[in-house]
Structure formats: structure tokens, C-alpha cells
């Protein structure tokens, strides 16, 4: 049996991709039941082993469908699983254990083909990252989910998690933003035959069906793209530290990164690349917080802090590998009172921040 042409994987969840994650402010409240200390700023566990200067680095991530293409969803899931560990500059990964939750409403034949296709996409993406998938756990759930745990045994020289950003350091972003509005636009498109409200939403976008489908297909490639080259670039450019941009959105992830830095510095973001169509969907629908830097992203790029003297070398290295140039989005500035900085944050969007449509295409081969 093949997957029916009218099968919509994202139909089986009310919160797509990393938008299913618990919001950061709620999570920090939950963590207070575990410890009074300020924990939860990093996504990876870094634990010493019995060998000198060798650490076990572990991360877990899983989420609901963000696309309807089942194979692509598997590819996106593994890319997202690996991103946290790539944000530490680690590229030599030891193993991945897969987590898969399947919908009990699917009949046996559909269950078999969907599960197999998700696993194949996940496995193919893992091969591109050079990491084996060694087992996993499969359950039933009202909302399907896929993800896993990744582990690396790494020497301290392989791990980039500096805490001393300097005034004048530059911030670059390796993928554009906009997965949340585009995923929803696609869902509105196929729901418009069933709902007058959805027809009105699609009409408000001022985009043809072909334009929406083209933009969404491109966003799928961005999400499936591994952040491995970005991790390699971190070593090439002597990066200070990085974070991946996922469920908490650009501004919250940037804030978390800066909380790990020494006092006295802030991150100012003044240019933000977005996927074609994402800004239009956000502005015309009135939904999402993309233009506030707070929209959830699924399998986003790395936000990297690096010395200004290394920027040109970093951009050239990345472009040679991936065929496009990452974006300089901001800089590290001296701590102070700024009109663009929200209370309690160490990262913010400049008063005159520019959100723009990124003219780039990821080199991702899909089935």
C-alpha cells in the first residue's frame, strides 16, 4: 500500500512542529519544582566521563507533524534532533535513538506505510549526518510525534560553549525564519473547502495557490537541512557560542544564549532574514509573532556569536559548502539602558530592525 494522495499528516495535531512545545515562561516555572537555581538555559546535557577532558553530550527532541509529506517529516525530525548538539560545534555524533508516536485511529495498512515512511526519512537524514540510528521507542498517541535522543562522546576541544562574548562580536544566522506562518498557510489552503473562515484567510493573503505551495515547499527544504556545516563553520571561525532557533523563537533563544555569557554585554539584532511569503502571511493574516522575533520555528538555523575579524572567513566557508551566504543579523553591545531592550532580557530587536525576504535556496535533495 502507498500513502493515499489525500492523506494529511498535519491534520492529526492542533499544534504543528515546535509550536507544540511548552512556552518558555511556563517551562521555567515548572523547573522551579526541580531546583531553585536558574536552570534550563541550554538544550544539551554535558557530563564528564571517567576519561580526562572527555564528555558525554546528550540531547532529546521530538514534536508533532509540521508538514503533510510523511517522508519529509522524518527528514525534518532528525534535522531538529541533531541541531542542539550541532549548536555546540560537535559534528562527530555517536548514536541516535528514535522516538515515534503513532495515531491509533489509523488502520493497520495506513499505520504500516506511515510508520515505515517516517522511519525511512529519519534514517536517511541521520545517514547524511553520519550518525547511526540504534533502536528507539514506539507508542500510540492521539497526536503523532517523531524525534529522538542524540549522544556524542566528545573531547573538550570539540565543544564550543564559550561564556565571554565581547563588545563588537558579530552575530550571524544560518537559516531564515518563517516556518510557523508558512505551515499554517498550507493548512488553511487545504481546509478552505471545508470552512468559510479558512477561505477568507486564504483570500486575505493575496497569494495564488501556486505561490503558497512554492513557498511552503521551500520552507520544507530549509527545515530538512542539517546544521552540520554551521557547526563546522563555528570551529573554522573561532566562534564564541551558538544556539539553534526552534520552538522558543528567535528572541527567546537569543536571550537564553546571552544568559550564559558573562555580565556586561547584550545582543542587538537589527536584520532578520525570513523565508519568502512568511512576512506576507504574518502581516495579512494578523497572526503569529514573527515580526516581534517570537514566532516558533521548527528546525531553524544556528545563531552564532563570533569575532568580527572572523566574519568574512566564516561566511566564505559556509557559502562554499552550502551555496549561499548566511546573514549577519546583529552584534554584541555594552550593557546599558536601550529603548529596544525589553525588561529582563539580554537580547533585543533594534528599534529600526529590518525583516526582509531572503533570496536563498538550500541544497537539500528530497525524495
Amino acid at each position: 500500500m502507498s500513502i493515499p494522495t489525500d492523506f494529511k499528516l498535519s491534520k492529526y495535531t492542533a499544534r504543528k512542529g515546535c509550536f507544540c512545545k511548552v512556552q518558555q515562561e511556563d517551562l521555567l516555572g515548572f523547573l522551579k519544582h526541580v531546583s531553585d537555581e536558574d536552570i534550563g538555559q541550554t538544550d544539551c546535557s554535558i557530563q564528564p566521563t571517567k576519561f580526562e577532558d572527555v564528555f558525554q553530550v546528550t540531547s532529546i527532541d521530538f514534536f508533532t507533524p509540521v508538514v503533510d509529506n510523511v517522508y519529509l517529516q522524518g527528514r525534518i525530525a532528525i534535522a531538529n534532533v541533531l541541531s542542539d548538539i550541532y549548536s555546540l560545534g560537535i559534528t562527530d555524533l555517536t548514536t541516535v535513538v528514535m522516538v515515534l508516536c503513532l495515531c491509533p485511529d489509523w488502520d493497520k495498512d495506513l499505520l504500516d506505510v506511515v510508520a515505515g515512511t517516517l522511519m525511512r526519512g529519519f534514517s536517511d537524514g541521520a545517514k547524511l549526518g553520519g550518525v547511526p540510528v540504534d533502536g528507539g521507542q514506539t507508542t500510540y498517541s492521539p497526536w503523532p510525534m517523531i524525534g529522538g535522543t542524540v549522544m556524542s562522546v566528545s573531547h573538550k576541544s570539540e565543544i564550543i560553549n564559550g561564556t565571554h562574548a565581547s563588545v563588537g562580536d558579530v552575530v550571524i544566522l544560518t537559516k531564515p525564519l518563517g516556518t510557523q506562518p508558512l505551515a499554517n498557510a498550507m493548512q488553511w489552503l487545504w481546509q478552505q473547502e471545508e470552512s468559510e473562515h479558512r477561505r477568507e484567510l486564504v483570500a486575505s493573503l493575496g497569494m495564488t495557490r501556486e505561490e503558497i505551495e512554492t513557498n511552503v515547499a521551500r520552507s520544507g527544504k530549509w527545515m530538512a537541512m542539517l546544521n552540520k556545516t554551521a557547526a563546522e563553520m563555528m570551529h573554522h571561525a573561532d566562534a564564541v557560542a551558538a544556539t539553534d532557533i526552534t520552538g522558543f523563537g528567535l528572541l527567546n533563544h537569543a536571550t537564553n544564549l546571552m544568559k550564559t555569557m558573562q555580565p556586561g554585554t547584550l545582543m542587538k539584532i537589527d536584520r532578520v532574514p525570513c523565508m519568502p511569503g512568511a512576512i506576507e502571511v504574518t502581516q495579512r493574516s494578523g497572526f503569529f509573532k514573527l515580526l516581534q522575533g517570537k514566532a516558533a520555528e521548527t528546525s531553524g538555523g544556528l545563531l552564532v556569536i563570533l569575532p568580527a575579524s572572523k566574519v568574512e572567513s566564516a561566511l566564505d566557508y559556509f557559502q562554499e559548502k552550502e551555496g549561499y551566504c548566511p546573514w549577519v543579523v546583529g552584534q554584541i553591545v555594552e550593557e546599558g539602558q536601550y529603548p529596544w531592550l525589553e525588561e529582563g532580557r539580554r537580547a533585543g530587536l533594534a528599534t529600526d530592525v529590518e525583516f526582509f525576504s531572503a533570496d536563498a535556496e538550500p541544497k537539500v535533495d528530497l525524495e
Side-chain angles (χ1 to χ4, degrees), residues 174-175 222 225 315 318-319 322-327 360-362:
T174 62
K175 293 186 190 181
W222 281 118
M225 176 185 171
L315 300 183
F318 193 97
Q319 183 159 28
E322 295 294 344
Y324 72 92
C325 185
W327 298 270
E361 189 85 26

Side-chain angles (χ1 to χ4, degrees), residues 200-216:
E200 292 173 354
L201 276 174
V202 172
S204 73
L205 301 182
M207 302 164 67
T208 66
R209 183 185 191 93
E210 182 180 5
E211 287 173 332
I212 294 173
E213 290 178 342
T214 297
N215 290 334
V216 171

Side-chain angles (χ1 to χ4, degrees), residues 46-357:
I46 305 175
Q47 297 297 322
T49 67
K50 62 182 180 180
F51 304 105
E52 184 178 2
D53 295 334
V54 175
F55 296 84
Q56 177 177 298
V57 185
T58 309
S59 181
I60 182 170
D61 212 319
F62 56 92
F63 53 73
T64 55
V66 68
V67 295
D68 293 316
N69 183 306
V70 180
Y71 175 82
L72 176 58
Q73 178 62 39
R75 288 284 298 272
I76 293 170
I78 183 62
N80 197 70
V81 167
L82 302 184
S83 280
D84 286 334
I85 213 162
Y86 282 148
S87 72
L88 292 171
I90 299 172
T91 58
D92 186 6
L93 311 180
T94 305
T95 186
V96 170
V97 177
M98 184 172 62
V99 173
L100 181 61
C101 301
L102 300 169
C103 184
D105 294 338
W106 299 336
D107 63 40
K108 186 178 184 304
D109 289 339
L110 183 61
L111 194 68
D112 180 72
V113 68
V114 170
T117 306
L118 283 169
M119 289 179 175
R120 183 161 54 86
F122 192 91
S123 178
D124 285 353
K127 290 175 183 175
L128 291 173
V131 57
V133 180
D134 292 326
Q137 184 71 37
T138 306
T139 69
Y140 289 110
S141 168
W143 288 1
M145 288 181 277
I146 184 170
T149 297
V150 59
M151 185 185 75
S152 176
V153 178
S154 303
H155 188 268
K156 69 175 184 179
S157 62
E158 300 175 80
I159 303 171
I160 300 177
N161 60 342
T163 59
H164 287 78
S166 301
V167 173
D169 283 350
V170 173
V171 184
I172 67 172
L173 182 63
T174 62
K175 293 186 190 181
L177 306 183
T179 57
Q180 186 184 45
L182 290 174
N184 279 272
M186 190 65 195
Q187 189 171 43
W188 299 339
L189 190 62
W190 61 255
Q191 287 178 339
Q192 64 178 333
E193 296 179 2
E194 307 167 5
S195 165
E196 176 65 27
H197 177 58
R198 290 292 188 258
R199 284 195 292 274
E200 292 173 354
L201 276 174
V202 172
S204 73
L205 301 182
M207 302 164 67
T208 66
R209 183 185 191 93
E210 182 180 5
E211 287 173 332
I212 294 173
E213 290 178 342
T214 297
N215 290 334
V216 171
R218 186 186 292 111
S219 75
K221 288 186 175 183
W222 281 118
M223 289 186 283
M225 176 185 171
L226 300 182
N227 281 321
K228 186 175 183 179
T229 297
E232 295 170 351
M233 180 198 69
M234 290 172 64
H235 286 277
H236 178 79
D238 297 328
V240 176
T243 182
D244 64 326
I245 307 301
T246 52
F248 293 160
L250 172 66
L251 198 53
N252 284 329
H253 281 292
T255 295
N256 278 354
L257 178 61
M258 290 306 296
K259 283 182 178 180
T260 68
M261 297 294 123
Q262 84 286 2
T265 55
L266 302 171
M267 182 186 294
K268 180 183 180 183
I269 299 172
D270 46 34
R271 298 184 73 245
V272 182
C274 297
M275 299 176 191
I279 295 174
E280 291 83 353
V281 171
T282 299
Q283 291 176 328
R284 296 169 187 173
S285 70
F287 298 139
F288 318 114
K289 295 182 178 180
L290 176 66
L291 304 183
Q292 290 78 47
K294 298 178 181 178
E297 296 294 328
T298 299
S299 189
L302 298 192
L303 187 73
V304 186
I305 302 172
L306 68 166
S309 62
K310 298 287 187 176
V311 172
E312 185 176 355
S313 175
L315 300 183
D316 288 346
Y317 179 89
F318 193 97
Q319 183 159 28
E320 183 178 353
K321 295 275 188 176
E322 295 294 344
Y324 72 92
C325 185
W327 298 270
V328 174
V329 298
Q331 59 277 324
I332 303 301
V333 299
E334 187 175 358
E335 190 172 28
Q337 298 296 320
Y338 297 98
W340 47 265
L341 190 67
E342 296 179 19
E343 184 177 355
R345 291 188 182 275
R346 290 185 60 190
L349 302 179
T351 305
D352 57 351
V353 62
E354 175 192 7
F355 285 81
F356 63 95
S357 184

